[in-house]
Amino acid sequence: MSSSLFSSSMLGLTRQVARLNVVSESSALTNQIRHASKKAGGSTKNNRDSAGRRLGAKKVGGQPVIPGNIIFRQRGTHFYPGENVGMGKDHTLYALESGWVQYYQDPVKDKKFWKRTYIGVSLHKDLALPTPVNEPRRRAFRLVDTAAYKQQLEQSRKEALADLVAMEKVVQA
């Protein structure tokens, strides 16, 4: 009874439990009861959100672009494709030619869509867009001089034959 007297007086257990010697000193120290310290919060059904779609300008006015560079991602047509710019099926504007990005509005005010803002790619940094109506559209002609290409090809063939002949002479010797 001395051990149960110790556990009942020190740990504040009831007399009935102490008399039965059900709880020993070691088990009384490890069996603790926790009570809630906060009220349980209610659940909500609308606390989900999707990640942002990263829309907006990817290249701004004056920046250089190469063909295929994305210039502007948008939902709907906030901006319209200008010279040397294409539009994807999700209204993404991308460069068709190498050059510099320019944002501009159509200067002809009597047209139906005179408030539209266009994004174009100028072929030269100092070239202003849009080109006037009476001027031809400037294009980047990347032509290959076929005569010079054939001459260079023929020259490399002659050098290769000369090397082959020199190697045959070394083998025969």
Side-chain angles (χ1 to χ4, degrees):
M1 240 357 202
S2 66
S3 66
S4 64
L5 179 68
F6 170 77
S7 57
S8 64
S9 63
M10 296 300 283
L11 299 176
L13 299 174
T14 62
R15 289 182 191 173
Q16 295 169 350
V17 173
R19 262 190 229 137
L20 295 173
N21 284 331
V22 174
V23 178
S24 68
E25 292 175 21
S26 61
S27 67
L29 295 175
T30 58
N31 292 340
Q32 296 178 0
I33 300 172
R34 289 190 61 187
H35 297 287
S37 59
K38 287 193 172 189
K39 284 187 174 182
S43 65
T44 181
K45 294 182 181 179
N46 58 353
N47 59 352
R48 294 173 299 278
D49 194 10
S50 61
R53 296 294 95 203
R54 279 77 175 170
L55 302 175
K58 307 303 174 196
K59 299 282 185 178
V60 294
Q63 281 190 308
V65 291
I66 59 173
N69 273 27
I70 294 175
I71 301 171
F72 203 91
R73 282 201 180 273
Q74 59 188 346
R75 294 290 173 258
T77 50
H78 186 70
F79 292 97
Y80 289 85
E83 294 183 27
N84 303 316
V85 172
M87 185 186 302
K89 67 179 183 177
D90 63 344
H91 302 106
T92 296
L93 301 179
Y94 58 91
L96 296 173
E97 293 288 340
S98 296
W100 286 265
V101 176
Q102 287 189 10
Y103 290 72
Y104 62 93
Q105 288 189 334
D106 199 358
V108 181
K109 299 290 185 193
D110 59 345
K111 283 188 171 181
K112 183 179 177 183
F113 306 111
W114 66 274
K115 289 186 178 180
R116 287 183 175 179
T117 303
Y118 294 90
I119 299 177
V121 173
S122 64
L123 303 176
H124 304 286
K125 195 167 190 169
D126 56 346
L127 185 65
L129 290 180
T131 54
V133 178
N134 56 357
E135 282 188 25
R137 192 173 141 223
R138 292 191 174 97
R139 297 183 181 157
F141 292 108
R142 290 172 178 70
L143 300 177
V144 177
D145 187 7
T146 56
Y149 176 73
K150 286 180 182 177
Q151 186 179 11
Q152 183 183 8
L153 189 62
E154 193 64 37
Q155 182 67 26
S156 64
R157 284 182 184 160
K158 287 179 183 177
E159 290 174 3
L161 279 172
D163 291 343
L164 188 62
V165 169
M167 287 177 60
E168 285 180 1
K169 287 182 182 178
V170 170
V171 170
Q172 288 177 357

Tab-separated table of all heavy atoms in Angstrom, residues 144-172:
chain	number	residue	atom	x	y	z
A	144	VAL	N	20.598	33.987	-101.667
A	144	VAL	CA	21.904	33.341	-101.722
A	144	VAL	C	22.460	33.564	-103.111
A	144	VAL	O	21.781	33.327	-104.118
A	144	VAL	CB	21.767	31.828	-101.419
A	144	VAL	CG1	23.099	31.136	-101.553
A	144	VAL	CG2	21.182	31.626	-100.048
A	145	ASP	N	23.699	34.029	-103.175
A	145	ASP	CA	24.361	34.214	-104.461
A	145	ASP	C	24.768	32.830	-104.961
A	145	ASP	O	25.774	32.270	-104.524
A	145	ASP	CB	25.571	35.129	-104.285
A	145	ASP	CG	26.211	35.491	-105.609
A	145	ASP	OD1	25.649	35.137	-106.664
A	145	ASP	OD2	27.277	36.131	-105.578
A	146	THR	N	23.958	32.275	-105.861
A	146	THR	CA	24.194	30.899	-106.314
A	146	THR	C	25.485	30.767	-107.107
A	146	THR	O	26.148	29.730	-107.034
A	146	THR	CB	23.003	30.396	-107.148
A	146	THR	OG1	22.772	31.285	-108.233
A	146	THR	CG2	21.762	30.296	-106.289
A	147	ALA	N	25.862	31.795	-107.863
A	147	ALA	CA	27.100	31.727	-108.641
A	147	ALA	C	28.313	31.609	-107.711
A	147	ALA	O	29.200	30.782	-107.930
A	147	ALA	CB	27.226	32.943	-109.544
A	148	ALA	N	28.333	32.443	-106.671
A	148	ALA	CA	29.447	32.387	-105.721
A	148	ALA	C	29.433	31.061	-104.953
A	148	ALA	O	30.486	30.489	-104.665
A	148	ALA	CB	29.363	33.557	-104.745
A	149	TYR	N	28.230	30.557	-104.628
A	149	TYR	CA	28.116	29.288	-103.913
A	149	TYR	C	28.668	28.140	-104.760
A	149	TYR	O	29.407	27.291	-104.278
A	149	TYR	CB	26.666	29.033	-103.529
A	149	TYR	CG	26.438	27.702	-102.863
A	149	TYR	CD1	26.853	27.473	-101.557
A	149	TYR	CD2	25.827	26.664	-103.553
A	149	TYR	CE1	26.657	26.254	-100.947
A	149	TYR	CE2	25.629	25.427	-102.951
A	149	TYR	CZ	26.038	25.225	-101.650
A	149	TYR	OH	25.836	24.017	-101.057
A	150	LYS	N	28.318	28.125	-106.068
A	150	LYS	CA	28.818	27.072	-106.967
A	150	LYS	C	30.318	27.160	-107.119
A	150	LYS	O	31.015	26.142	-107.157
A	150	LYS	CB	28.137	27.174	-108.328
A	150	LYS	CG	26.695	26.705	-108.317
A	150	LYS	CD	26.075	26.826	-109.686
A	150	LYS	CE	24.619	26.401	-109.675
A	150	LYS	NZ	23.969	26.565	-110.974
A	151	GLN	N	30.845	28.367	-107.211
A	151	GLN	CA	32.290	28.562	-107.349
A	151	GLN	C	33.012	28.066	-106.081
A	151	GLN	O	34.049	27.399	-106.181
A	151	GLN	CB	32.593	30.036	-107.584
A	151	GLN	CG	34.034	30.322	-107.871
A	151	GLN	CD	34.256	31.804	-108.123
A	151	GLN	OE1	33.369	32.624	-107.885
A	151	GLN	NE2	35.430	32.146	-108.613
A	152	GLN	N	32.480	28.369	-104.924
A	152	GLN	CA	33.080	27.912	-103.669
A	152	GLN	C	33.014	26.388	-103.566
A	152	GLN	O	33.976	25.746	-103.130
A	152	GLN	CB	32.344	28.549	-102.496
A	152	GLN	CG	32.926	28.206	-101.146
A	152	GLN	CD	32.095	28.812	-100.013
A	152	GLN	OE1	31.023	29.353	-100.245
A	152	GLN	NE2	32.614	28.714	-98.804
A	153	LEU	N	31.909	25.791	-103.989
A	153	LEU	CA	31.759	24.341	-103.969
A	153	LEU	C	32.760	23.670	-104.902
A	153	LEU	O	33.392	22.668	-104.552
A	153	LEU	CB	30.321	23.974	-104.353
A	153	LEU	CG	29.912	22.521	-104.196
A	153	LEU	CD1	30.001	22.099	-102.739
A	153	LEU	CD2	28.508	22.316	-104.723
A	154	GLU	N	32.923	24.226	-106.103
A	154	GLU	CA	33.887	23.681	-107.075
A	154	GLU	C	35.311	23.786	-106.537
A	154	GLU	O	36.111	22.866	-106.705
A	154	GLU	CB	33.742	24.439	-108.405
A	154	GLU	CG	34.431	23.789	-109.565
A	154	GLU	CD	33.845	22.416	-109.900
A	154	GLU	OE1	32.626	22.221	-109.792
A	154	GLU	OE2	34.649	21.535	-110.258
A	155	GLN	N	35.629	24.904	-105.898
A	155	GLN	CA	36.968	25.091	-105.325
A	155	GLN	C	37.244	24.052	-104.240
A	155	GLN	O	38.329	23.476	-104.183
A	155	GLN	CB	37.085	26.508	-104.745
A	155	GLN	CG	38.440	26.834	-104.161
A	155	GLN	CD	39.532	26.896	-105.220
A	155	GLN	OE1	39.262	27.174	-106.392
A	155	GLN	NE2	40.759	26.623	-104.818
A	156	SER	N	36.269	23.784	-103.378
A	156	SER	CA	36.480	22.798	-102.311
A	156	SER	C	36.616	21.382	-102.888
A	156	SER	O	37.372	20.567	-102.360
A	156	SER	CB	35.332	22.860	-101.294
A	156	SER	OG	34.123	22.485	-101.899
A	157	ARG	N	35.930	21.083	-103.996
A	157	ARG	CA	36.073	19.774	-104.654
A	157	ARG	C	37.480	19.602	-105.223
A	157	ARG	O	38.075	18.524	-105.108
A	157	ARG	CB	35.039	19.620	-105.766
A	157	ARG	CG	33.653	19.336	-105.259
A	157	ARG	CD	32.691	19.154	-106.398
A	157	ARG	NE	31.334	18.978	-105.906
A	157	ARG	CZ	30.251	19.164	-106.601
A	157	ARG	NH1	30.337	19.562	-107.860
A	157	ARG	NH2	29.071	18.977	-106.077
A	158	LYS	N	37.998	20.662	-105.849
A	158	LYS	CA	39.353	20.607	-106.412
A	158	LYS	C	40.381	20.378	-105.307
A	158	LYS	O	41.322	19.594	-105.475
A	158	LYS	CB	39.671	21.897	-107.165
A	158	LYS	CG	38.936	22.007	-108.487
A	158	LYS	CD	39.276	23.310	-109.179
A	158	LYS	CE	38.493	23.467	-110.475
A	158	LYS	NZ	38.762	24.759	-111.133
A	159	GLU	N	40.215	21.055	-104.173
A	159	GLU	CA	41.149	20.874	-103.067
A	159	GLU	C	41.079	19.455	-102.507
A	159	GLU	O	42.104	18.855	-102.172
A	159	GLU	CB	40.843	21.884	-101.954
A	159	GLU	CG	41.188	23.317	-102.320
A	159	GLU	CD	40.737	24.304	-101.259
A	159	GLU	OE1	40.203	23.865	-100.216
A	159	GLU	OE2	40.922	25.509	-101.478
A	160	ALA	N	39.875	18.897	-102.432
A	160	ALA	CA	39.717	17.534	-101.937
A	160	ALA	C	40.369	16.536	-102.886
A	160	ALA	O	41.007	15.569	-102.450
A	160	ALA	CB	38.230	17.208	-101.749
A	161	LEU	N	40.222	16.723	-104.213
A	161	LEU	CA	40.868	15.845	-105.189
A	161	LEU	C	42.385	15.937	-105.100
A	161	LEU	O	43.089	14.928	-105.200
A	161	LEU	CB	40.399	16.186	-106.601
A	161	LEU	CG	39.050	15.585	-107.006
A	161	LEU	CD1	38.615	16.155	-108.348
A	161	LEU	CD2	39.155	14.085	-107.087
A	162	ALA	N	42.890	17.152	-104.924
A	162	ALA	CA	44.337	17.336	-104.798
A	162	ALA	C	44.862	16.599	-103.562
A	162	ALA	O	45.922	15.959	-103.608
A	162	ALA	CB	44.676	18.816	-104.727
A	163	ASP	N	44.153	16.680	-102.458
A	163	ASP	CA	44.556	15.961	-101.244
A	163	ASP	C	44.518	14.453	-101.451
A	163	ASP	O	45.392	13.718	-100.976
A	163	ASP	CB	43.644	16.336	-100.074
A	163	ASP	CG	43.856	17.763	-99.619
A	163	ASP	OD1	44.901	18.362	-99.962
A	163	ASP	OD2	42.957	18.280	-98.918
A	164	LEU	N	43.521	13.962	-102.183
A	164	LEU	CA	43.388	12.526	-102.459
A	164	LEU	C	44.539	12.031	-103.315
A	164	LEU	O	45.111	10.969	-103.068
A	164	LEU	CB	42.050	12.256	-103.131
A	164	LEU	CG	41.673	10.796	-103.318
A	164	LEU	CD1	41.543	10.092	-101.985
A	164	LEU	CD2	40.393	10.677	-104.115
A	165	VAL	N	44.910	12.807	-104.347
A	165	VAL	CA	46.022	12.436	-105.211
A	165	VAL	C	47.321	12.423	-104.395
A	165	VAL	O	48.153	11.508	-104.570
A	165	VAL	CB	46.111	13.403	-106.414
A	165	VAL	CG1	47.411	13.213	-107.199
A	165	VAL	CG2	44.897	13.211	-107.321
A	166	ALA	N	47.518	13.381	-103.533
A	166	ALA	CA	48.728	13.416	-102.712
A	166	ALA	C	48.801	12.207	-101.779
A	166	ALA	O	49.880	11.634	-101.578
A	166	ALA	CB	48.759	14.707	-101.894
A	167	MET	N	47.660	11.790	-101.247
A	167	MET	CA	47.648	10.615	-100.352
A	167	MET	C	47.963	9.343	-101.136
A	167	MET	O	48.643	8.446	-100.625
A	167	MET	CB	46.303	10.510	-99.637
A	167	MET	CG	46.112	11.556	-98.560
A	167	MET	SD	44.512	11.513	-97.778
A	167	MET	CE	44.484	9.894	-97.091
A	168	GLU	N	47.498	9.230	-102.399
A	168	GLU	CA	47.778	8.042	-103.223
A	168	GLU	C	49.267	7.938	-103.531
A	168	GLU	O	49.837	6.833	-103.541
A	168	GLU	CB	46.964	8.077	-104.501
A	168	GLU	CG	45.495	7.750	-104.300
A	168	GLU	CD	44.707	7.797	-105.596
A	168	GLU	OE1	45.305	8.076	-106.670
A	168	GLU	OE2	43.491	7.554	-105.547
A	169	LYS	N	49.908	9.081	-103.775
A	169	LYS	CA	51.345	9.066	-104.065
A	169	LYS	C	52.134	8.604	-102.835
A	169	LYS	O	53.114	7.884	-102.955
A	169	LYS	CB	51.820	10.466	-104.478
A	169	LYS	CG	51.367	10.853	-105.847
A	169	LYS	CD	51.903	12.229	-106.223
A	169	LYS	CE	51.400	12.643	-107.601
A	169	LYS	NZ	51.870	13.987	-107.952
A	170	VAL	N	51.687	9.018	-101.639
A	170	VAL	CA	52.376	8.604	-100.427
A	170	VAL	C	52.204	7.104	-100.203
A	170	VAL	O	53.144	6.410	-99.806
A	170	VAL	CB	51.824	9.403	-99.215
A	170	VAL	CG1	52.329	8.838	-97.899
A	170	VAL	CG2	52.208	10.857	-99.337
A	171	VAL	N	51.021	6.564	-100.507
A	171	VAL	CA	50.758	5.140	-100.323
A	171	VAL	C	51.586	4.320	-101.314
A	171	VAL	O	52.118	3.255	-100.969
A	171	VAL	CB	49.245	4.854	-100.471
A	171	VAL	CG1	48.975	3.360	-100.528
A	171	VAL	CG2	48.476	5.496	-99.329
A	172	GLN	N	51.700	4.779	-102.551
A	172	GLN	CA	52.455	4.033	-103.571
A	172	GLN	C	53.946	4.059	-103.291
A	172	GLN	O	54.672	3.160	-103.697
A	172	GLN	CB	52.177	4.612	-104.956
A	172	GLN	CG	50.768	4.290	-105.451
A	172	GLN	CD	50.481	4.928	-106.804
A	172	GLN	OE1	51.324	5.660	-107.336
A	172	GLN	NE2	49.308	4.655	-107.317
